[in-house]
Amino acid sequence: MNDQLTPINKDHLKKLIRAELELTWFDNKSSSPDMSWVTPTVLETLFTELITHTRGNQSKAARMLGLNRGSFSKKLNQITSNKLGLVESL
């Protein structure tokens, strides 16, 4: 059994998302909050932190996500291009 702590506290992540949604829970005017920023932000953070953590080793970073290196590399290129403003959407 793996007794290591997970690098991401899932409960904390859930609390952050719920806190963002809670702002509109009782407000009928804005009952559909804009959460479109969550996925791109999480992906950008995850991929850039993994590539930093693995000291640029894309194969190792890809394995940590359960992806092949090609898929990881493609997504990383999309993220870095988007971050630099070269691509408008992921």
Side-chain angles (χ1 to χ4, degrees):
M1 187 162 140
N2 189 354
D3 291 330
Q4 291 181 328
L5 294 175
T6 60
I8 299 171
N9 184 322
K10 293 177 186 176
D11 290 333
H12 184 64
L13 183 59
K14 286 179 189 178
K15 286 178 185 177
L16 291 172
I17 292 171
R18 285 182 182 153
E20 189 73 25
L21 293 172
E22 199 171 287
L23 299 173
T24 61
W25 187 259
F26 297 107
D27 184 5
N28 291 333
K29 292 179 184 174
S30 61
S31 61
S32 298
D34 180 15
M35 298 297 287
S36 61
W37 59 270
V38 174
T39 301
T41 302
V42 169
L43 285 174
E44 178 185 330
T45 304
L46 181 61
F47 275 69
T48 56
E49 289 300 317
L50 275 174
I51 204 67
T52 300
H53 176 75
T54 60
R55 296 181 179 99
N57 187 330
Q58 290 187 12
S59 294
K60 187 174 181 180
R63 278 193 306 273
M64 293 172 79
L65 288 177
L67 301 173
N68 65 45
R69 192 207 49 80
S71 296
F72 181 87
S73 180
K74 182 178 177 182
K75 190 58 147 178
L76 182 64
N77 286 336
Q78 288 176 338
I79 290 168
T80 55
S81 295
N82 192 30
K83 194 173 180 179
L84 296 173
L86 301 175
V87 176
E88 293 199 14
S89 64
L90 287 173

